[in-house]
Amino acid sequence: MPIEYNIIEDKNLILVKGSGIITGRDVLNHLADLSKDDRYVSFMKKFIDYRFVQNITVTSEEAWQIADKKKALRTIFHGEKCAFVSPKDISFGASRMHQILVEGADLSTEVFRNVEDGQGVIFCLNSVRFVSMYGTPGKTLLMTPVLQ
């Protein structure tokens, strides 16, 4: 699955991991799934980790559809604070385009090339450290915050 997510309810946090090849349909499906998830409550923080993305194949038409879908769901996603970590040019460019297209929809979206900057925006850097979410030795897929 190219886009996976986990909601940590007591922290109002969504951890998203993208991997492999992500298509416009994958992103639209992710938004639809998240909007129907009962664990989602307004004013969530969303940390999107695209470090493992090989390619993003989203047409310009799909980019507009994704932005329109997110704007249409803004009553659900109201106040969301979102940080993309996209170190590769292809994912960074696509993430920045998304940021521009949803601007003004009361959805705070920022894009970073490294985890430290992204987590700093979401977690006020000094209050949280990160540990592996899946605990697989030698393979960190997603990070989850642990209060210090």
Side-chain angles (χ1 to χ4, degrees):
M1 182 181 252
I3 301 176
E4 301 174 49
Y5 74 91
N6 184 27
I7 295 178
I8 302 172
E9 294 176 75
D10 63 330
K11 294 188 178 29
N12 282 19
L13 174 66
I14 306 162
L15 297 173
V16 180
K17 184 190 105 184
S19 62
I21 298 170
I22 294 178
T23 67
R25 180 62 36 214
D26 294 328
V27 177
L28 288 166
N29 288 341
H30 165 70
L31 292 174
D33 291 345
L34 191 57
S35 71
K36 295 174 193 163
D37 194 316
D38 292 336
R39 299 172 299 161
Y40 190 98
V41 294
S42 287
F43 301 104
M44 294 291 271
K45 296 169 290 208
K46 189 175 185 182
F47 187 83
I48 301 170
D49 186 355
Y50 274 3
R51 291 176 296 161
F52 303 98
V53 171
Q54 294 168 358
N55 199 1
I56 296 180
T57 58
V58 176
T59 66
S60 57
E61 182 180 331
E62 288 172 324
W64 281 105
Q65 289 174 353
I66 292 164
D68 288 344
K69 173 95 170 177
K70 189 126 188 209
K71 288 176 183 178
L73 295 170
R74 74 175 149 242
T75 56
I76 295 169
F77 296 146
H78 172 73
E80 182 178 272
K81 189 171 189 175
C82 182
F84 282 84
V85 174
S86 302
K88 296 177 187 162
D89 289 345
I90 188 74
S91 61
F92 186 83
S95 299
R96 285 282 292 134
M97 180 59 67
H98 176 73
Q99 177 185 20
I100 291 165
L101 293 176
V102 298
E103 190 173 330
D106 193 28
L107 304 165
S108 174
T109 301
E110 297 192 45
V111 182
F112 305 93
R113 289 211 182 253
N114 64 63
V115 170
E116 294 77 20
D117 291 341
Q119 77 183 31
V121 164
I122 296 293
F123 306 108
C124 303
L125 199 54
N126 294 327
S127 64
V128 177
R129 65 184 170 86
F130 280 74
V131 296
S132 171
M133 187 165 121
Y134 295 109
T136 306
K139 190 171 186 182
T140 302
L141 299 177
L142 259 182
M143 309 303 273
T144 186
V146 175
L147 295 178
Q148 294 179 323

